[in-house]
Short mmCIF file of all heavy atoms in Angstrom, two decimals:
data_model
loop_
_atom_site.label_atom_id
_atom_site.label_comp_id
_atom_site.label_asym_id
_atom_site.label_seq_id
_atom_site.Cartn_x
_atom_site.Cartn_y
_atom_site.Cartn_z
N GLY A 13 6.86 -5.37 1.66
CA GLY A 13 7.07 -4.07 1.01
C GLY A 13 5.76 -3.45 0.56
O GLY A 13 5.56 -2.24 0.66
N TYR A 14 4.87 -4.29 0.05
CA TYR A 14 3.53 -3.85 -0.37
C TYR A 14 2.77 -3.28 0.82
O TYR A 14 2.21 -2.19 0.75
CB TYR A 14 2.81 -5.05 -0.98
CG TYR A 14 1.43 -4.80 -1.52
CD1 TYR A 14 1.26 -4.17 -2.75
CD2 TYR A 14 0.30 -5.24 -0.84
CE1 TYR A 14 -0.02 -3.98 -3.29
CE2 TYR A 14 -0.96 -5.05 -1.36
CZ TYR A 14 -1.12 -4.42 -2.58
OH TYR A 14 -2.39 -4.23 -3.11
N ALA A 15 2.79 -4.01 1.94
CA ALA A 15 2.10 -3.55 3.15
C ALA A 15 2.71 -2.26 3.67
O ALA A 15 1.99 -1.33 4.07
CB ALA A 15 2.16 -4.63 4.22
N SER A 16 4.03 -2.16 3.64
CA SER A 16 4.70 -0.94 4.08
C SER A 16 4.29 0.25 3.21
O SER A 16 4.05 1.35 3.71
CB SER A 16 6.22 -1.13 4.03
OG SER A 16 6.88 0.05 4.37
N GLY A 17 4.21 0.03 1.90
CA GLY A 17 3.79 1.09 0.99
C GLY A 17 2.39 1.58 1.31
O GLY A 17 2.13 2.79 1.32
N PHE A 18 1.48 0.66 1.59
CA PHE A 18 0.13 1.08 1.95
C PHE A 18 0.09 1.74 3.33
O PHE A 18 -0.63 2.71 3.53
CB PHE A 18 -0.87 -0.08 1.86
CG PHE A 18 -1.52 -0.17 0.52
CD1 PHE A 18 -1.15 -1.14 -0.39
CD2 PHE A 18 -2.50 0.75 0.15
CE1 PHE A 18 -1.74 -1.20 -1.65
CE2 PHE A 18 -3.10 0.69 -1.11
CZ PHE A 18 -2.72 -0.29 -2.01
N THR A 19 0.89 1.24 4.27
CA THR A 19 0.94 1.86 5.59
C THR A 19 1.31 3.33 5.48
O THR A 19 0.72 4.19 6.14
CB THR A 19 1.95 1.12 6.50
OG1 THR A 19 1.49 -0.21 6.69
CG2 THR A 19 2.10 1.82 7.84
N HIS A 20 2.28 3.64 4.63
CA HIS A 20 2.75 5.01 4.45
C HIS A 20 2.05 5.74 3.31
O HIS A 20 2.37 6.89 3.02
CB HIS A 20 4.26 5.01 4.21
CG HIS A 20 5.01 4.39 5.33
ND1 HIS A 20 5.62 3.16 5.22
CD2 HIS A 20 5.23 4.80 6.60
CE1 HIS A 20 6.18 2.86 6.37
NE2 HIS A 20 5.96 3.82 7.23
N LEU A 21 1.10 5.06 2.65
CA LEU A 21 0.42 5.60 1.46
C LEU A 21 1.44 6.14 0.47
O LEU A 21 1.36 7.27 -0.01
CB LEU A 21 -0.62 6.66 1.86
CG LEU A 21 -1.76 6.14 2.74
CD1 LEU A 21 -2.73 7.27 3.09
CD2 LEU A 21 -2.51 4.99 2.07
N ASP A 22 2.40 5.28 0.14
CA ASP A 22 3.50 5.60 -0.77
C ASP A 22 3.34 4.78 -2.05
O ASP A 22 3.68 3.59 -2.08
CB ASP A 22 4.82 5.30 -0.07
CG ASP A 22 6.04 5.62 -0.91
OD1 ASP A 22 5.95 5.66 -2.16
OD2 ASP A 22 7.11 5.82 -0.31
N ALA A 23 2.82 5.39 -3.09
CA ALA A 23 2.55 4.70 -4.35
C ALA A 23 3.81 4.10 -4.97
O ALA A 23 3.75 3.01 -5.57
CB ALA A 23 1.86 5.63 -5.34
N ASP A 24 4.94 4.76 -4.84
CA ASP A 24 6.18 4.24 -5.42
C ASP A 24 6.62 2.96 -4.72
O ASP A 24 7.05 2.00 -5.37
CB ASP A 24 7.29 5.29 -5.35
CG ASP A 24 7.04 6.47 -6.27
OD1 ASP A 24 6.36 6.30 -7.30
OD2 ASP A 24 7.51 7.58 -5.94
N GLU A 25 6.51 2.94 -3.40
CA GLU A 25 6.88 1.73 -2.65
C GLU A 25 5.94 0.57 -2.99
O GLU A 25 6.38 -0.57 -3.14
CB GLU A 25 6.88 2.00 -1.15
CG GLU A 25 7.38 0.83 -0.34
CD GLU A 25 7.52 1.13 1.14
OE1 GLU A 25 7.13 2.22 1.60
OE2 GLU A 25 8.02 0.23 1.85
N ILE A 26 4.67 0.87 -3.12
CA ILE A 26 3.71 -0.16 -3.52
C ILE A 26 4.09 -0.70 -4.90
O ILE A 26 4.18 -1.91 -5.10
CB ILE A 26 2.27 0.38 -3.53
CG1 ILE A 26 1.85 0.80 -2.12
CG2 ILE A 26 1.31 -0.67 -4.09
CD1 ILE A 26 0.60 1.65 -2.07
N ALA A 27 4.32 0.19 -5.85
CA ALA A 27 4.64 -0.20 -7.24
C ALA A 27 5.91 -1.05 -7.30
O ALA A 27 6.00 -1.95 -8.14
CB ALA A 27 4.79 1.04 -8.11
N ASP A 28 6.86 -0.80 -6.41
CA ASP A 28 8.10 -1.60 -6.38
C ASP A 28 7.85 -3.04 -5.98
O ASP A 28 8.73 -3.89 -6.15
CB ASP A 28 9.10 -0.98 -5.41
CG ASP A 28 9.73 0.29 -5.93
OD1 ASP A 28 9.64 0.56 -7.14
OD2 ASP A 28 10.32 1.03 -5.11
N VAL A 30 4.83 -4.89 -6.73
CA VAL A 30 3.76 -5.54 -7.48
C VAL A 30 4.27 -5.97 -8.86
O VAL A 30 5.29 -5.48 -9.32
CB VAL A 30 2.51 -4.62 -7.63
CG1 VAL A 30 1.97 -4.21 -6.26
CG2 VAL A 30 2.81 -3.40 -8.48
N TYR A 34 -0.36 -6.27 -12.28
CA TYR A 34 -1.07 -6.09 -11.01
C TYR A 34 -2.45 -5.45 -11.22
O TYR A 34 -2.60 -4.55 -12.05
CB TYR A 34 -0.22 -5.20 -10.10
CG TYR A 34 -0.90 -4.64 -8.90
CD1 TYR A 34 -1.08 -5.40 -7.74
CD2 TYR A 34 -1.37 -3.32 -8.88
CE1 TYR A 34 -1.68 -4.87 -6.62
CE2 TYR A 34 -1.97 -2.78 -7.76
CZ TYR A 34 -2.13 -3.57 -6.63
OH TYR A 34 -2.73 -3.03 -5.53
N LEU A 36 -5.71 -3.93 -8.73
CA LEU A 36 -6.36 -3.60 -7.46
C LEU A 36 -7.84 -3.45 -7.78
O LEU A 36 -8.24 -2.55 -8.53
CB LEU A 36 -5.79 -2.30 -6.90
CG LEU A 36 -6.37 -1.81 -5.57
CD1 LEU A 36 -6.07 -2.79 -4.45
CD2 LEU A 36 -5.79 -0.44 -5.24
N ASP A 38 -11.48 -2.67 -6.66
CA ASP A 38 -12.25 -2.12 -5.55
C ASP A 38 -13.69 -2.61 -5.62
O ASP A 38 -14.13 -3.19 -6.61
CB ASP A 38 -12.11 -0.61 -5.42
CG ASP A 38 -12.98 0.22 -6.34
OD1 ASP A 38 -13.95 -0.32 -6.90
OD2 ASP A 38 -12.70 1.41 -6.47
N HIS A 44 -7.81 -0.90 -10.75
CA HIS A 44 -6.67 0.03 -10.76
C HIS A 44 -5.42 -0.78 -11.10
O HIS A 44 -5.14 -1.79 -10.47
CB HIS A 44 -6.49 0.69 -9.39
CG HIS A 44 -7.71 1.40 -8.92
ND1 HIS A 44 -8.02 2.68 -9.30
CD2 HIS A 44 -8.72 1.00 -8.11
CE1 HIS A 44 -9.16 3.04 -8.73
NE2 HIS A 44 -9.61 2.03 -8.01
N SER A 45 -4.66 -0.32 -12.07
CA SER A 45 -3.45 -1.00 -12.50
C SER A 45 -2.24 -0.44 -11.73
O SER A 45 -2.36 0.53 -10.98
CB SER A 45 -3.22 -0.79 -13.99
OG SER A 45 -2.95 0.59 -14.24
N ARG A 46 -1.10 -1.02 -11.97
CA ARG A 46 0.16 -0.54 -11.38
C ARG A 46 0.36 0.93 -11.75
O ARG A 46 0.75 1.74 -10.91
CB ARG A 46 1.31 -1.40 -11.90
CG ARG A 46 2.65 -1.07 -11.31
CD ARG A 46 3.69 -2.06 -11.85
NE ARG A 46 4.92 -1.99 -11.13
CZ ARG A 46 5.95 -1.23 -11.50
NH1 ARG A 46 5.87 -0.49 -12.59
NH2 ARG A 46 7.04 -1.22 -10.79
N GLU A 47 0.06 1.27 -12.99
CA GLU A 47 0.24 2.64 -13.46
C GLU A 47 -0.74 3.62 -12.81
O GLU A 47 -0.49 4.82 -12.76
CB GLU A 47 0.10 2.71 -14.98
CG GLU A 47 1.20 2.01 -15.75
CD GLU A 47 1.10 0.48 -15.73
OE1 GLU A 47 -0.01 -0.06 -15.51
OE2 GLU A 47 2.14 -0.18 -15.91
N GLY A 48 -1.86 3.13 -12.30
CA GLY A 48 -2.87 3.98 -11.69
C GLY A 48 -2.73 4.13 -10.19
O GLY A 48 -3.57 4.78 -9.53
N LEU A 49 -1.67 3.56 -9.60
CA LEU A 49 -1.51 3.61 -8.15
C LEU A 49 -1.38 5.03 -7.60
O LEU A 49 -1.92 5.34 -6.54
CB LEU A 49 -0.30 2.78 -7.71
CG LEU A 49 -0.52 1.28 -7.70
CD1 LEU A 49 0.81 0.54 -7.50
CD2 LEU A 49 -1.52 0.89 -6.61
N GLN A 50 -0.66 5.90 -8.31
CA GLN A 50 -0.46 7.27 -7.82
C GLN A 50 -1.80 7.97 -7.61
O GLN A 50 -2.05 8.58 -6.57
CB GLN A 50 0.43 8.05 -8.79
CG GLN A 50 1.00 9.31 -8.21
CD GLN A 50 2.03 9.04 -7.13
OE1 GLN A 50 1.71 9.08 -5.95
NE2 GLN A 50 3.26 8.76 -7.52
N ALA A 51 -2.68 7.87 -8.59
CA ALA A 51 -4.00 8.51 -8.48
C ALA A 51 -4.83 7.86 -7.38
O ALA A 51 -5.53 8.55 -6.63
CB ALA A 51 -4.73 8.43 -9.83
N TYR A 52 -4.75 6.54 -7.26
CA TYR A 52 -5.51 5.85 -6.23
C TYR A 52 -5.06 6.29 -4.84
O TYR A 52 -5.88 6.58 -3.96
CB TYR A 52 -5.35 4.33 -6.39
CG TYR A 52 -6.15 3.57 -5.37
CD1 TYR A 52 -7.53 3.42 -5.50
CD2 TYR A 52 -5.54 3.03 -4.25
CE1 TYR A 52 -8.26 2.75 -4.55
CE2 TYR A 52 -6.27 2.34 -3.29
CZ TYR A 52 -7.64 2.22 -3.46
OH TYR A 52 -8.37 1.56 -2.50
N ILE A 53 -3.75 6.35 -4.62
CA ILE A 53 -3.21 6.76 -3.32
C ILE A 53 -3.55 8.22 -3.03
O ILE A 53 -3.86 8.58 -1.89
CB ILE A 53 -1.69 6.50 -3.25
CG1 ILE A 53 -1.41 5.00 -3.29
CG2 ILE A 53 -1.07 7.15 -2.02
CD1 ILE A 53 -2.02 4.19 -2.15
N THR A 54 -3.53 9.07 -4.04
CA THR A 54 -3.93 10.46 -3.84
C THR A 54 -5.36 10.52 -3.32
O THR A 54 -5.66 11.30 -2.40
CB THR A 54 -3.80 11.25 -5.17
OG1 THR A 54 -2.41 11.25 -5.55
CG2 THR A 54 -4.29 12.68 -5.02
N GLY A 55 -6.24 9.69 -3.83
CA GLY A 55 -7.61 9.64 -3.35
C GLY A 55 -7.70 9.15 -1.91
O GLY A 55 -8.46 9.69 -1.10
N LEU A 56 -6.90 8.15 -1.55
CA LEU A 56 -6.90 7.66 -0.17
C LEU A 56 -6.41 8.72 0.80
O LEU A 56 -6.91 8.82 1.92
CB LEU A 56 -6.00 6.43 -0.04
CG LEU A 56 -6.58 5.07 -0.40
CD1 LEU A 56 -5.54 3.98 -0.20
CD2 LEU A 56 -7.82 4.77 0.41
N ARG A 57 -5.44 9.52 0.37
CA ARG A 57 -4.89 10.57 1.24
C ARG A 57 -5.92 11.64 1.62
O ARG A 57 -5.72 12.38 2.57
CB ARG A 57 -3.67 11.23 0.59
CG ARG A 57 -2.45 10.35 0.65
CD ARG A 57 -1.20 11.13 0.24
NE ARG A 57 -0.02 10.36 0.51
CZ ARG A 57 0.59 10.27 1.69
NH1 ARG A 57 0.10 10.92 2.71
NH2 ARG A 57 1.67 9.53 1.83
N GLU A 58 -7.03 11.68 0.91
CA GLU A 58 -8.11 12.60 1.28
C GLU A 58 -8.75 12.18 2.60
O GLU A 58 -9.41 12.98 3.25
CB GLU A 58 -9.17 12.65 0.17
CG GLU A 58 -8.67 13.27 -1.11
CD GLU A 58 -9.70 13.20 -2.23
OE1 GLU A 58 -10.86 12.81 -1.98
OE2 GLU A 58 -9.33 13.55 -3.36
N HIS A 59 -8.54 10.92 3.00
CA HIS A 59 -9.14 10.39 4.22
C HIS A 59 -8.17 10.32 5.39
O HIS A 59 -8.59 10.20 6.54
CB HIS A 59 -9.72 9.00 3.96
CG HIS A 59 -10.74 8.99 2.88
ND1 HIS A 59 -12.03 9.43 3.06
CD2 HIS A 59 -10.65 8.63 1.57
CE1 HIS A 59 -12.70 9.33 1.93
NE2 HIS A 59 -11.88 8.85 1.01
N GLY A 60 -6.86 10.36 5.12
CA GLY A 60 -5.86 10.28 6.18
C GLY A 60 -4.46 10.20 5.62
O GLY A 60 -4.27 10.06 4.41
N ASP A 61 -3.48 10.31 6.51
CA ASP A 61 -2.08 10.32 6.11
C ASP A 61 -1.42 8.95 6.09
O ASP A 61 -0.31 8.80 5.58
CB ASP A 61 -1.27 11.24 7.03
CG ASP A 61 -1.68 12.69 6.87
OD1 ASP A 61 -2.09 13.09 5.77
OD2 ASP A 61 -1.59 13.43 7.87
N ASN A 62 -2.07 7.96 6.71
CA ASN A 62 -1.51 6.62 6.71
C ASN A 62 -2.63 5.59 6.81
O ASN A 62 -3.77 5.93 7.05
CB ASN A 62 -0.48 6.43 7.82
CG ASN A 62 -1.08 6.63 9.19
OD1 ASN A 62 -2.29 6.73 9.36
ND2 ASN A 62 -0.24 6.69 10.20
N MET A 63 -2.25 4.36 6.59
CA MET A 63 -3.21 3.25 6.68
C MET A 63 -2.78 2.35 7.83
O MET A 63 -1.62 1.95 7.91
CB MET A 63 -3.20 2.45 5.37
CG MET A 63 -4.11 1.24 5.39
SD MET A 63 -4.07 0.28 3.84
CE MET A 63 -5.10 1.32 2.80
N ILE A 65 -2.93 -1.21 9.26
CA ILE A 65 -3.18 -2.57 8.79
C ILE A 65 -3.12 -3.50 9.99
O ILE A 65 -2.12 -3.52 10.72
CB ILE A 65 -2.15 -2.98 7.73
CG1 ILE A 65 -2.23 -2.05 6.51
CG2 ILE A 65 -2.37 -4.43 7.31
CD1 ILE A 65 -1.15 -2.27 5.47
N TRP A 79 -7.95 -3.09 7.26
CA TRP A 79 -7.23 -1.82 7.15
C TRP A 79 -8.17 -0.64 7.44
O TRP A 79 -9.38 -0.77 7.37
CB TRP A 79 -6.58 -1.66 5.77
CG TRP A 79 -7.52 -1.78 4.60
CD1 TRP A 79 -7.77 -2.91 3.88
CD2 TRP A 79 -8.32 -0.76 4.01
NE1 TRP A 79 -8.68 -2.64 2.89
CE2 TRP A 79 -9.04 -1.33 2.94
CE3 TRP A 79 -8.51 0.59 4.28
CZ2 TRP A 79 -9.92 -0.60 2.15
CZ3 TRP A 79 -9.39 1.31 3.50
CH2 TRP A 79 -10.09 0.72 2.44
N VAL A 81 -8.15 3.85 6.93
CA VAL A 81 -7.59 5.16 6.59
C VAL A 81 -8.63 6.18 7.04
O VAL A 81 -9.72 6.25 6.46
CB VAL A 81 -7.31 5.32 5.08
CG1 VAL A 81 -6.77 6.73 4.79
CG2 VAL A 81 -6.35 4.26 4.59
N GLU A 100 -5.22 -7.53 -5.59
CA GLU A 100 -5.89 -7.34 -4.31
C GLU A 100 -7.34 -7.01 -4.57
O GLU A 100 -7.65 -6.15 -5.39
CB GLU A 100 -5.25 -6.24 -3.47
CG GLU A 100 -5.94 -6.07 -2.13
CD GLU A 100 -5.26 -5.13 -1.16
OE1 GLU A 100 -4.24 -4.52 -1.52
OE2 GLU A 100 -5.77 -5.00 -0.03
N LEU A 102 -10.58 -5.51 -2.78
CA LEU A 102 -10.93 -4.68 -1.63
C LEU A 102 -12.38 -4.82 -1.24
O LEU A 102 -13.25 -4.97 -2.12
CB LEU A 102 -10.64 -3.21 -1.93
CG LEU A 102 -9.21 -2.83 -2.23
CD1 LEU A 102 -9.13 -1.36 -2.60
CD2 LEU A 102 -8.31 -3.13 -1.04
#
Side-chain angles (χ1 to χ4, degrees):
Y14 182 77
S16 177
F18 268 105
T19 297
H20 301 108
L21 298 179
D22 181 336
D24 292 332
E25 185 174 6
I26 297 166
D28 287 345
V30 302
Y34 166 80
L36 180 64
D38 82 16
H44 304 276
S45 66
R46 184 177 192 267
E47 293 75 23
L49 283 170
Q50 196 69 262
Y52 182 77
I53 293 300
T54 297
L56 276 180
R57 285 191 170 278
E58 293 175 8
H59 302 283
D61 294 329
N62 61 10
M63 177 181 282
I65 299 174
W79 55 266
V81 178
E100 181 172 3
L102 298 176

